[in-house]
Amino acid sequence: MTQKKYKTIIGRIALLIVLLLIAFPFIWLVISSFKYEKDIISFPPRIFADKYTFDNYIKVWTTIPLVNYIKNTVIFAGGVVLTSVFFDSLAGYAFARMQFKGKSALFYFVLLTMMIPFQVFMIPLFIEINKLGLLDTYAGLIIPRMTTAFGIFMMRSFFVGLPKDLEEAARIDGLNEFQIFLKIILPLPKPAFLSLGIFTLMNNWNDLLYPLILTSSTEMRTLPAGLSLFSGQNISFYGPVMAGTVISMLPLLIIYVFAQKYFVQSSAMAGMKE
């Protein structure tokens, strides 16, 4: 066996080990969601149990309003995805293709906001949303996240790489800037839109602190916020919490599987120099 084959085998073994290390928490979560409570908290811990049960999934459905939490999460995360992708693409197009005074300074200012953690402005945000009467509403959850600095930066990176002949030909035909964006530019970067949508969906679907602050009633809780309260009220029942976590992860996993090729394609394009 040649040295090249040895290196290939060693590389694949190393990748397999890394894959197992990364996937192990998820595997442990799925297996533990079917365990009895005594097997979950047993010491020393064991990956597999002697017996398994569906009671954890039944209990999480009957103990908390899981359907309502899922509905709130879909409306919140889906609304943010739709509005954020549209407005981020508008701003990204302006920074990439249009010329106006102070464009560079404004763009750098947008990038600087990415360095500010949410904990810094969460109290002023809560006060503002409360003063506007949007606390504990879908609008109060969606409006503050209708655009993000990361989304603007990402969409600008894609729009910069498009040929300028497209918009120049459209201007000759008499289209204004918004018509050029809507009819010519917007249909082109589908991988970019899907990637930004996946990023935005994951961040908002799994977000705990943001919806926990801006909602006060059980009817408006999202999945992470609802499961955290469930865990706090029933601290000894880890099985239902794990079952609820598995349920909350399944939609994202399914979406990522179907959109994986676009995600990889957009990631490769994002690495190209302007």
Side-chain angles (χ1 to χ4, degrees), residues 35 44 76 81-82 84 97 109 120-121 127 129 153 155 159 161 164 167 193 213 220 226-227 235 264 272 274:
K35 290 181 180 180
F76 162 56
V81 168
L82 293 177
S84 179
R97 318 296 288 192
F109 175 77
V120 173
F121 59 87
I127 295 173
I129 295 297
F153 171 75
M155 294 311 301
F159 288 137
K164 294 185 178 181
E167 55 202 78
F193 290 140
I213 290 174
M220 286 298 299
L227 289 174
I235 193 64
V264 173
M272 298 173 61
E274 297 178 6

Side-chain angles (χ1 to χ4, degrees), residues 197-257:
I198 291 173
F199 277 123
T200 307
L201 181 65
M202 287 192 301
N203 290 336
N204 290 278
W205 188 281
N206 296 322
D207 200 345
L208 169 64
L209 185 59
Y210 175 78
L212 195 61
I213 290 174
L214 297 184
T215 57
S216 57
S217 64
T218 305
E219 292 75 17
M220 286 298 299
R221 296 292 187 193
T222 59
L223 264 172
L227 289 174
S228 68
L229 294 178
F230 173 76
S231 177
Q233 294 167 0
N234 304 275
I235 193 64
S236 61
F237 299 108
Y238 296 102
V241 175
M242 291 183 176
T245 304
V246 171
I247 293 172
S248 69
M249 292 172 61
L250 283 178
L252 293 179
L253 185 62
I254 294 171
I255 291 173
Y256 182 79
V257 168

Side-chain angles (χ1 to χ4, degrees), residues 88-100:
D88 288 346
S89 60
L90 276 175
Y93 173 78
F95 283 121
R97 318 296 288 192
M98 299 176 66
Q99 299 298 326
F100 54 90

Side-chain angles (χ1 to χ4, degrees), residues 42-109:
S42 64
F43 187 85
R46 296 187 303 165
I47 299 177
F48 300 102
D50 298 328
K51 294 181 180 180
Y52 295 95
T53 179
F54 284 98
D55 289 347
N56 293 327
Y57 288 89
I58 296 173
K59 193 170 186 176
V60 76
W61 279 100
T62 56
T63 306
I64 61 175
L66 194 63
V67 175
N68 192 52
Y69 291 161
I70 294 174
K71 181 196 73 173
N72 294 336
T73 308
V74 169
I75 295 174
F76 162 56
V80 171
V81 168
L82 293 177
T83 55
S84 179
V85 169
F86 178 71
F87 287 113
D88 288 346
S89 60
L90 276 175
Y93 173 78
F95 283 121
R97 318 296 288 192
M98 299 176 66
Q99 299 298 326
F100 54 90
K101 189 175 181 180
K103 182 177 77 170
S104 298
L106 183 59
F107 180 66
Y108 290 136
F109 175 77

Side-chain angles (χ1 to χ4, degrees), residues 106-121:
L106 183 59
F107 180 66
Y108 290 136
F109 175 77
V110 171
L111 294 183
L112 284 174
T113 61
M114 296 174 63
M115 302 180 185
I116 304 175
F118 174 70
Q119 289 79 0
V120 173
F121 59 87

Side-chain angles (χ1 to χ4, degrees), residues 16-31:
L16 182 61
I17 294 173
V18 173
L19 176 63
L20 290 174
L21 289 174
I22 295 173
F24 179 74
F26 178 73
I27 296 172
W28 178 280
L29 174 66
V30 173
I31 295 175

